[in-house]
C-alpha cells in the first residue's frame, strides 16, 4: 500500500473518533461544538504520558482516553442544566478556552539532550513512542482501525441495549423520558464522559501517528466538522459518522477532484443534501428499512 | 492611574460598540429563526473581501474619500447579499424542520463562502481602505483614536435607527411577534417566510456595518475574519441573553471592556481566553445572560409544556 | 360569507375530515360541536390555510381559498383563533393587540383601530403596558379575542376558547364572542362544551368522526333528546 493511502486511511480512522464522539452526544439530544477539546486533551495527555513519563503506549492511550472522559464529564456536569443551543455554545466556549490555555502552557523536560514537551503555541514535538516501539505506519493504521472497530461495536451493541434506547428516548423527548423514570441529568453527564473518552482515544492515536501536535489543530473547525460528519452520514446508526468522514476526506479531499474549489463544491452538496434528507443519508427510517431487508430472508429460511 | 482606567474603558467601549453591532445582527437572525447561523461570520468576511478587492483594483483611480465610502457600501452590500444566499439555501427550505440540519447546512456554506472569498484575494493579509490619516489625537493624558470615535458614533446611530424600526413600524412589530411566538405570528396573519427573510437581510446589514467598523480600525482583512467576527457576535449575544437585542448591545460593550481590561492587566495572550471564559461562566452560572432571562425562561417553559 | 363544499382533510394516516359542507352567514354564530377527535380543529386549520385539504372547495366571500397561504387568507378578512391561545408573552398587551392589526397595513391603522375597540375590553385597557405573560388565563383569552377583532375580520374561526378556563371566565368569554355578531362578523365557534356553545349560537352542527351528523338551529339541537344523549353528552363529560 502506498504511503499516501496508509496516511489517508489512518486519518479517516482518527477523525472518525471525533465524529463518533459528537454523534453519541447528538443521539442523546445534545449538540456539541466542542469535541475537539477532548481530542486535543487526549492527544496532549497521551503524548506527555509516553514521552515525558515514559509510559508504555497502551497505558498512554488509556490515559488519553481517561483525560478526555474527565474533561467531557466535567463539562457535562457543569452544563447539565443547559439544553439545546446553550449547551452547544458552552461546549464551544470550553473548547476555545482549552485551546487558548494550551497556547499558554509550557511543560518541558530535557530528554536525550533536547527539551521535549508542550511549548505553548509552538506545539509539542517528538512524540515518538509508537515508532521507537517498532510500530510501522501500516501496523499503526491497523491499530487505529482495530480500536475504531472496537469502539463502533461497543456503540452499536449499546444502541441496541435498553440503556441505548433510553438514551435515544432522552434525546428525542427528555420530558417523556423523565416521566418514564430515566435520570436524564445523570445520563447526560455519563454520555458526555463517554463521548470525551472516545475523542480522547482518537487524540492519543493522532499524537502518536503525527509525533507533533499544536493547539491550533484543535480549533472550532475540527469540532464543527465532527458534528457535520454525523449529520451528513446519518443519525440512524454509528456507521453514519464514518460515512460522513469517508465522503469528505475519503472522496473529496483525496481525489483532489475539485482542487481549490473543494469547499465550494462540498459546502453546496451538503446544503442540498440536508434539504433532501435533514437527518442525513442513513437516517432512522433508512436504517430500519435496511435492517428489515437483511433480517426478513433469514426468517424465511 | 485613573487616566489608565479611563483610557482602557474608552478603548474597550469603542471595540465593544462594534461587537455590539455584530451581536445585534446575530441576535436578530436567531430571534426570527430560532436557529444559529454558523455562516454569519463568513458572510461578513465576504463583504470585507469585496471592499478590499475594490481597493486593490480601483485604489489608484479613485480619490481616497470616494474609495472609503465605496468600500463601506460594497462591504455592507456584500454581507447582505451573502446573507440572502444563506437564508435561501440553508434556512428557508428547512423552516419548521430540523434545526440541527439547518445549522450544519449553514456551516457547510461557511466553508463555501470562505473559500470563495480567499479565491477572490488569495493573500493572507489584504489592506482595507481606512478614512483617517491622523493616527490619534491627544486630549490631555488621554489618547483619542479617530476610528474609535467613528465606531461609537456609527454604532449609536445604527442602534437608534434599529430601535425605531423595531419599535415603531409594522415590520418591526411583526419581527418581534415572530421572534417571541411563531404561533402568535401565524394567528395574526404574519407571513413568517417573508418576515424571516427581511429580518435576516436587515440583520446581515447591521452585521456588515459592524464588520466595516472593525475593518476600518484594523485597516486590513484576513481569512481569519469570518471565524473571529462570528466568535465576537456569538459572545456578545450570549452574554446579554439569547434573543434580547438590548442585551446584545450590553453584551458587546461588556465584551469590549472585558477584553481591553484583560489585555491591560495580563497582556494580549489572555484577551481571548477571558472572552471565552466569561461566556462559559455566564452560561454555567446564569444561562439567561447577564441582562435578562426572558428568552431562556421562555425556552424552559416551552420544554416544560411538553 | 364562508362556504365549505365536500372538504376532506388528511391528518397523518387518518381522514380527519371526511366530506364536510357548511355555510356560514354574516352576523351569525355557528357552533360546531362534537367529541374529542372528531376533526373539528383539523377543519379549522384547513379553513385558515395552515393545513391543506386533500379535496373540496373553501370560499370566502365567493373567492376560492385553496391556492392561498395562511397570511393571504388572513389578509382577506378571515381570522383563526387556534387552540392554546398563542400570544407573544414577552411583548406588552398593547403590542399583542397591535399585532392583531397586521393585516390592516401601516402601523398607524392598527393604532387607530386599537383606540376604537379598547373601550369594549376594560380589563385589558388597564394592563396595556404589562407583558402578556402577566395575564390570567381568562384575560389571555380576552386578549386573543380582542386581538382577532383588531383585524376587522369578516369571518372568525374560534377553536376551543373556553378550554382550561373556569366556568365563570368561560361564560364571560362566550358572551363576549356572542356580542361580536352585532358588528356583522360571521363566527364559526368550535367547542367541546356543547351545552354552553349551543346556548349562545344561532345555528349548530354536530361533527363525529370527520362528518357532520346533524345540523340545524341551535334551539332545535338543544332540544333533541337523541343528540343530547348520543353526542353532546359524550362531549361535555370531559
Amino acid at each position: 500500500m502506498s504511503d499516501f493511502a496508509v496516511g489517508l486511511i489512518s486519518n479517516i480512522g482518527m477523525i472518525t473518533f471525533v465524529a463518533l464522539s459528537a454523534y453519541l452526544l447528538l443521539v442523546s439530544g445534545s449538540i456539541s461544538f466542542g469535541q475537539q477539546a477532548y481530542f486535543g486533551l487526549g492527544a496532549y495527555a497521551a503524548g506527555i504520558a509516553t514521552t515525558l513519563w515514559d509510559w508504555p503506549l497502551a497505558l498512554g492511550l488509556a490515559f488519553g482516553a481517561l483525560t478526555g472522559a474527565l474533561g467531557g464529564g466535567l463539562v457535562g456536569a457543569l452544563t447539565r442544566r443547559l439544553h439545546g443551543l446553550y449547551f452547544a455554545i458552552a461546549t464551544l466556549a470550553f473548547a476555545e478556552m482549552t485551546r487558548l490555555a494550551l497556547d499558554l502552557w509550557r511543560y518541558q523536560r530535557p530528554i536525550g539532550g533536547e527539551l521535549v514537551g508542550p511549548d505553548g503555541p509552538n506545539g509539542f514535538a517528538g512524540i515518538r513512542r509508537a515508532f521507537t516501539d517498532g510500530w510501522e505506519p501500516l501496523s499503526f493504521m491497523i491499530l487505529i482501525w482495530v480500536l475504531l472497530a472496537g469502539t463502533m461495536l461497543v456503540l452499536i451493541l449499546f444502541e441496541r441495549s435498553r440503556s441505548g434506547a433510553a438514551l435515544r428516548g432522552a434525546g428525542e423527548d427528555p420530558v417523556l423520558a423523565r416521566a418514564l423514570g430515566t435520570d436524564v441529568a445523570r445520563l447526560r453527564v455519563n454520555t458526555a464522559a463517554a463521548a470525551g473518552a472516545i475523542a480522547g482515544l482518537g487524540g492519543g492515536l493522532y499524537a502518536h501517528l503525527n509525533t507533533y501536535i499544536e493547539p491550533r489543530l484543535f480549533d472550532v473547525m475540527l469540532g464543527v466538522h465532527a458534528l457535520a460528519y454525523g449529520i451528513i452520514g446519518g443519525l440512524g446508526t454509528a456507521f453514519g459518522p464514518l460515512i460522513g468522514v469517508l465522503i469528505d476526506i475519503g472522496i473529496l479531499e483525496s481525489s483532489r477532484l475539485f482542487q481549490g474549489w473543494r469547499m465550494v463544491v462540498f459546502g453546496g452538496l451538503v446544503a442540498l443534501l440536508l434539504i433532501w434528507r435533514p437527518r442525513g443519508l442513513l437516517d432512522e427510517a433508512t436504517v430500519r428499512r435496511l435492517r428489515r431487508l437483511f433480517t426478513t430472508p433469514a426468517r424465511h429460511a | 492611574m485613573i487616566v489608565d482606567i479611563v483610557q482602557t474603558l474608552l478603548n474597550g467601549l469603542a471595540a465593544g460598540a462594534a461587537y455590539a453591532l455584530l451581536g445585534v445582527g446575530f441576535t436578530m437572525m436567531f430571534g426570527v429563526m430560532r436557529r444559529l447561523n454558523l455562516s454569519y461570520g463568513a458572510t461578513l468576511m465576504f463583504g470585507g473581501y469585496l471592499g478590499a478587492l475594490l481597493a486593490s483594483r480601483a485604489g489608484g483611480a479613485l480619490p481616497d474619500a470616494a474609495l472609503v465610502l465605496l468600500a463601506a457600501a460594497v462591504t455592507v452590500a456584500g454581507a447582505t447579499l451573502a446573507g440572502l444566499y444563506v437564508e435561501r439555501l440553508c434556512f428557508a427550505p428547512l423552516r419548521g424542520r430540523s434545526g440541527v440540519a439547518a445549522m450544519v447546512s449553514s456551516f457547510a456554506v461557511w466553508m463555501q463562502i470562505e473559500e470563495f472569498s480567499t479565491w477572490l484575494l488569495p493573500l493572507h493579509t489584504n489592506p482595507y481602505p481606512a478614512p483617517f490619516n491622523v493616527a490619534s489625537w491627544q486630549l490631555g493624558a488621554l489618547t483619542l483614536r479617530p476610528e474609535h470615535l467613528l465606531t461609537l458614533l456609527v454604532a449609536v446611530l445604527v442602534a437608534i435607527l434599529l430601535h425605531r424600526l423595531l419599535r415603531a413600524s409594522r415590520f418591526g412589530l411583526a419581527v418581534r411577534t415572530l421572534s417571541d411566538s411563531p404561533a402568535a405570528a401565524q394567528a395574526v396573519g404574519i407571513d413568517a417566510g417573508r418576515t424571516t427573510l427581511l429580518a435576516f437581510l436587515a440583520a446581515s446589514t447591521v452585521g456588515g456595518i459592524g464588520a466595516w467598523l472593525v475593518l476600518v480600525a484594523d485597516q486590513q482583512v484576513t481569512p481569519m475574519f469570518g471565524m473571529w467576527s462570528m466568535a465576537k457576535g456569538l459572545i456578545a449575544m450570549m452574554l446579554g441573553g439569547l434573543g434580547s437585542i438590548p442585551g446584545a448591545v450590553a453584551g458587546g460593550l461588556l465584551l469590549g471592556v472585558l477584553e481591553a481590561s484583560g489585555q491591560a492587566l495580563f497582556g494580549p495572550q489572555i484577551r481571548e481566553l477571558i472572552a471565552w471564559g466569561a461566556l462559559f461562566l455566564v452560561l454555567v452560572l446564569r444561562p439567561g445572560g447577564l441582562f435578562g432571562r426572558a428568552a431562556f425562561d421562555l425556552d424552559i417553559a416551552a420544554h416544560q409544556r411538553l | 360569507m364562508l362556504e365549505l363544499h365536500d372538504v376532506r382533510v388528511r391528518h397523518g394516516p387518518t381522514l380527519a375530515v371526511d366530506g364536510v359542507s357548511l355555510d356560514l352567514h354574516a352576523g351569525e354564530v355557528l357552533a360546531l360541536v362534537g367529541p374529542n377527535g372528531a376533526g373539528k380543529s383539523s377543519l379549522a386549520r384547513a379553513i385558515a390555510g395552515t393545513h391543506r385539504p386533500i379535496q373540496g372547495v373553501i370560499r370566502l366571500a365567493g373567492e376560492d381559498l385553496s391556492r392561498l397561504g395562511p397570511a393571504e387568507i388572513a389578509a382577506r378578512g378571515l381570522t383563526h383563533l387556534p387552540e392554546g391561545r398563542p400570544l407573544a408573552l414577552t411583548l406588552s398587551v398593547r403590542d399583542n393587540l397591535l399585532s392583531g392589526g397586521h393585516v390592516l397595513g401601516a402601523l398607524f391603522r392598527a393604532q387607530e383601530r386599537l383606540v376604537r375597540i379598547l373601550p369594549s375590553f376594560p380589563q385589558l385597557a388597564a394592563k396595556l403596558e404589562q407583558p402578556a405573560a402577566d395575564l390570567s388565563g381568562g384575560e389571555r383569552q380576552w386578549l386573543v379575542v380582542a386581538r382577532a377583532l383588531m383585524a376587522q375580520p369578516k369571518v372568525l374561526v374560534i377553536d376551543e376558547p373556553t378550554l382550561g378556563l373556569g366556568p365563570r371566565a368561560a361564560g364571560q368569554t362566550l358572551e363576549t364572542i356572542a356580542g361580536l355578531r352585532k358588528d356583522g362578523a360571521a363566527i364559526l365557534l368550535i367547542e367541546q362544551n356543547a351545552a354552553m356553545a349551543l346556548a349562545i349560537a344561532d345555528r349548530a352542527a354536530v361533527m363525529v368522526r370527520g362528518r357532520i351528523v346533524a345540523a340545524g338551529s341551535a334551539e332545535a339541537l338543544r332540544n333533541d333528546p337523541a343528540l343530547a344523549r348520543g353526542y353532546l353528552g359524550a362531549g361535555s363529560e370531559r
Side-chain angles (χ1 to χ4, degrees), chain C residues 37-52:
Chain C
K40 304 185 299 288
S41 294
S42 295
L43 184 64
R45 282 193 290 272
I47 295 170
T50 52
H51 191 128
R52 274 209 188 293

Side-chain angles (χ1 to χ4, degrees), chain B residues 243-295:
Chain B
S244 150
I245 287 180
V249 172
L253 293 175
L254 176 69
L255 175 63
V257 171
L258 269 180
E259 283 191 357
S261 359
Q263 179 161 357
L265 290 173
F266 308 108
Q269 277 187 309
I270 303 291
R271 189 184 163 104
E272 305 278 307
L273 191 58
I274 284 185
W276 288 108
L279 175 61
F280 188 74
L281 270 184
V282 166
L283 282 175
V284 167
L285 299 177
R286 204 177 147 80
L290 292 172
F291 309 103
R293 307 186 54 96

Side-chain angles (χ1 to χ4, degrees), chain A residues 26 31 33 75 78-79 81-83 85-86 89-90 92-94 96-97 100-101 103-104 173 175 220-221 224-225 227-228 231 260-264 267-268 270-272 274-276 278, chain B residues 30 36 38 89 93-94 97-98 100-101 103-105 107-112 114-116 119 227 234 238 242 269-270 272-273 276-277 279-280 283-285 287 295-296 299-300 303 306:
Chain A
L26 212 48
I31 301 163
F33 290 136
V75 173
L78 286 173
T79 59
R81 284 199 301 143
L82 304 178
H83 57 253
L85 200 55
Y86 295 90
I89 293 172
L92 172 65
F94 180 80
E96 284 294 278
M97 282 161 66
L100 292 162
D103 250 343
L104 297 173
D173 190 341
V175 179
V220 191
M221 281 290 157
V224 188
H225 268 107
L227 183 71
I231 295 185
W261 292 92
R262 174 176 152 234
M263 278 305 172
V264 173
V270 169
L272 293 177
L274 289 171
I275 293 172
W276 171 52
Chain B
F30 180 81
L36 199 61
L38 289 180
L89 183 63
L94 285 165
R97 292 161 73 195
S98 166
V100 186
M103 197 164 70
V104 168
S105 174
F107 168 65
V109 170
W110 166 5
M111 304 284 97
Q112 205 183 24
E114 202 168 277
E115 187 164 279
F116 182 72
W119 174 79
M227 170 88 80
L234 187 69
M238 299 304 295
L242 186 55
Q269 277 187 309
I270 303 291
E272 305 278 307
L273 191 58
W276 288 108
L279 175 61
F280 188 74
L283 282 175
V284 167
L285 299 177
F296 186 74
D299 240 33
I300 295 272
H303 273 250
L306 282 169

Side-chain angles (χ1 to χ4, degrees), chain A residues 34-151:
Chain A
Q35 296 313 104
Q36 71 275 20
Y38 318 120
F39 190 72
L41 287 175
Y44 270 83
I48 288 168
T50 62
T51 315
L52 299 183
W53 304 340
D54 209 25
W55 291 13
L57 180 64
L59 269 184
L61 292 178
F63 183 61
L66 179 71
T67 309
L70 286 176
L74 174 73
V75 173
L78 286 173
T79 59
R80 68 190 179 283
R81 284 199 301 143
L82 304 178
H83 57 253
L85 200 55
Y86 295 90
F87 177 82
I89 293 172
T91 56
L92 172 65
F94 180 80
E96 284 294 278
M97 282 161 66
T98 306
R99 180 178 68 80
L100 292 162
L102 287 175
D103 250 343
L104 297 173
W105 192 44
R106 283 185 179 77
Y107 174 57
Q108 292 190 296
R109 260 196 216 172
I111 290 173
E114 55 178 323
L115 275 176
V116 178
D119 181 22
N122 301 323
F124 178 5
I127 309 170
R128 293 198 201 92
R129 185 77 205 195
F131 298 107
T132 53
D133 278 5
W135 292 88
E136 304 278 332
L138 185 65
S139 55
F140 201 80
M141 176 192 97
I142 294 170
L143 173 70
I144 292 171
W145 279 82
V146 167
L147 288 173
L148 180 64
T151 308

